[in-house]
Amino acid sequence: SAFLLLTLPVSPSSPPFSYSLSFQDSSAQLPAPRNLKVHLYNAQQALSWEPVSLDSDPRPVVYQVQYKYSTSSNWYNVSKEDGKVDCINLTRTECDFTADSLSEGFPWHFNISLRVQAKLGGLISAWATAPWFEHYRNVTIGPPENIRVTPEEGSLIISLSAPFNVRASEAFFVYYVYYWEEAGGTQVTRPFRSNFIILNDLKPLRVYCFQVKAELFLTKENISRPGHLSNISCSETAADASVKLQQDTLAAATTFLVLSVVVGSCLFVVLKYRGLVKHWFHSPPSIPSQIEEYLKDPAQPILDALDKDSSPKDDAWDSVSVVTSPENEQEGSPQSTLNQSPGLSHQPTEGVV
C-alpha cells in the first residue's frame, strides 16, 4: 500500500516552498526515505528527507538523488558530471544543489522533479519521488539586500540590491517602499524597477521610518511572486536652505556671544587684579655674575671676585710730561712745554692726572 501527502504554501508569508512525501512498500527490504522537502529561498535550492535505519544493522545508510525535467522521461544522477553537486552515496540527509551562478545548476524556468533512494549494503529501498517544482513559480523571496539611505533636503535616497540575481530575459524585480513619519501614518510608493528610490516631499529635519519589499515578475508570463518586507529602518531628513540659514545665523550669534563673554571676563580680571598680574608677569632680578661666582665658591674673597672681572680698559688714563727750568723752580711758577725754548736742557718728569 502507498499514500502521498503534498503540502504547498498558500501565501507569501508561508515558509519556503516545501512538500512532504511518504512512501511505504511492504515488499521492500529497506524503507524508502520519507518526508521529502524542497527548500527554495532566493537562490537557494536544497532537498532534505528523514533518515532511514534498520535496528538489526548498525551500518550507516547512504542515499542517492536523481532528477529529471518535464520534457524528458529519463532520470539523471545529481552529480558533478552534470555540473551540479555530488549527491551520490550521501551519508547526510540533504542534497544542496544551489548553483554558484546563473549558468550552472537547474534552469529556474524549467519544471523539475527529484527522487531519493536509500542503500544499506546489499539492501536497496524503493525510490521516493517528489512532485514537480519550478524555481520562479515556487520560490520564497526574501527582502532586498544592502539597503542604504542618504538624507537630502526634504528627501531620502534609498539604494538597495535585489534579493538574488535573475536573467533579464526571464524575470525582473520591482520594489515598493512603505514609509511613515514617526508620528504619522503609512504611505506606499509606486513600484520602482530601479535600485535607487527617492522619497520626495518630506519635511525637513523629521525622522522617517520605512520598509522595502521586492516582487518578482516573470517576463513572458503574467505571474508575480511577492517577497518579504525588510526590517524597519529610520533616518532623519536634512534641512532645506532656509533652515540651514537660520541654523548658520544662530551658530554665528552664539559664537559671537561666547567670545564676547570670554573677552569681557578676561578684561575684567586684568583690570581688577592689575597689580597681581603685573607681579606674575614681571621677570625676577638677576644676580650679578660676581656674586653668583662667590656663592659657588665661598672661599674666594668677595673683593677679589669683584675685581677679577674688572677690565683695565674700563679705567681712563692720560699721560702728560711737565718740564721745569731752574729759574722757574725757584720762583715756583711752572710753565707749559709749549712755551719752553727747545734749547734748554731739562729733565722730564712723568705724572699722572
Side-chain angles (χ1 to χ4, degrees):
S1 62
F3 63 90
L4 178 68
L5 176 62
L6 176 66
T7 60
L8 294 173
V10 295
S11 67
S13 60
S14 302
F17 173 73
S18 64
Y19 47 80
S20 60
L21 177 69
S22 298
F23 184 92
Q24 294 180 348
D25 188 351
S26 58
S27 62
Q29 296 177 326
L30 187 66
R34 297 183 301 176
N35 196 24
L36 274 67
K37 293 182 179 179
V38 174
H39 303 271
L40 303 175
Y41 182 81
N42 288 344
Q44 179 186 7
Q45 296 180 336
L47 174 67
S48 64
W49 56 88
E50 292 183 358
V52 176
S53 63
L54 286 180
D55 296 337
S56 59
D57 196 334
R59 292 178 298 175
V61 177
V62 295
Y63 305 93
Q64 179 178 355
V65 181
Q66 293 184 340
Y67 72 95
K68 77 172 182 177
Y69 299 121
S70 60
T71 56
S72 174
S73 59
N74 298 325
W75 291 90
Y76 304 94
N77 292 329
V78 180
S79 63
K80 293 183 178 179
E81 296 178 358
D82 294 334
K84 304 174 180 63
V85 296
D86 190 0
C87 289
I88 300 176
N89 297 328
L90 291 173
T91 56
R92 62 183 184 275
T93 58
E94 182 185 44
C95 174
D96 189 346
F97 45 89
T98 303
D100 294 332
S101 64
L102 295 175
S103 61
E104 301 176 355
F106 298 122
W108 290 358
H109 60 288
F110 276 28
N111 283 325
I112 302 170
S113 183
L114 300 171
R115 66 179 185 177
V116 184
Q117 185 183 59
K119 296 181 180 180
L120 179 60
L123 302 178
I124 301 177
S125 74
W127 288 99
T129 306
W132 299 95
F133 71 91
E134 181 182 334
H135 190 95
Y136 282 137
R137 292 175 180 267
N138 304 116
V139 65
T140 298
I141 302 173
E145 299 181 349
N146 303 319
I147 299 176
R148 296 182 177 86
V149 58
T150 303
E152 294 290 342
E153 296 183 5
S155 64
L156 295 176
I157 300 177
I158 301 173
S159 62
L160 49 85
S161 58
F164 57 95
N165 295 327
V166 297
R167 294 181 186 274
S169 59
E170 298 172 355
F172 61 90
F173 282 103
V174 298
Y175 305 98
Y176 296 88
V177 180
Y178 299 81
Y179 69 97
W180 61 94
E181 193 178 346
E182 278 190 325
T186 303
Q187 301 183 41
V188 184
T189 62
R190 60 180 178 84
F192 288 87
R193 291 191 62 174
S194 172
N195 289 24
F196 293 90
I197 301 173
I198 302 178
L199 302 181
N200 289 317
D201 301 329
L202 303 181
K203 299 177 182 178
L205 298 178
R206 298 292 181 89
V207 177
Y208 286 86
C209 299
F210 64 90
Q211 290 179 285
V212 187
K213 181 183 72 173
E215 187 170 354
L216 179 67
F217 283 84
L218 300 185
T219 303
K220 299 180 180 180
E221 303 179 52
N222 190 21
I223 298 175
S224 64
R225 293 285 298 174
H228 291 286
L229 284 169
S230 66
N231 295 328
I232 297 177
S233 301
C234 298
S235 181
E236 184 180 16
T237 56
D240 56 17
S242 60
V243 175
K244 284 185 177 180
L245 180 60
Q246 295 176 2
Q247 291 178 339
D248 294 341
T249 304
L250 180 60
T254 303
T255 304
F256 177 77
L257 180 61
V258 171
L259 292 177
S260 300
V261 172
V262 172
V263 173
S265 301
C266 294
L267 184 60
F268 172 77
V269 170
V270 170
L271 294 177
K272 184 174 182 179
Y273 302 97
R274 179 172 48 195
L276 185 59
V277 172
K278 183 177 180 181
H279 174 72
W280 284 346
F281 289 96
H282 180 71
S283 59
S286 60
I287 301 175
S289 59
Q290 297 89 346
I291 302 299
E292 185 176 359
E293 290 185 5
Y294 172 74
L295 294 177
K296 292 180 180 178
D297 187 9
Q300 182 179 3
I302 184 62
L303 295 179
D304 294 342
L306 293 174
D307 292 340
K308 184 176 67 173
D309 292 338
S310 298
S311 174
K313 65 181 180 180
D314 293 339
D315 297 330
W317 297 88
D318 293 331
S319 298
V320 298
S321 298
V322 178
V323 179
T324 61
S325 64
E327 295 85 0
N328 292 336
E329 289 180 354
Q330 294 177 359
E331 295 178 0
S333 56
Q335 293 182 354
S336 173
T337 56
L338 299 177
N339 299 324
Q340 185 67 32
S341 173
L344 293 178
S345 61
H346 60 274
Q347 187 71 24
T349 301
E350 293 186 2
V352 179
V353 177

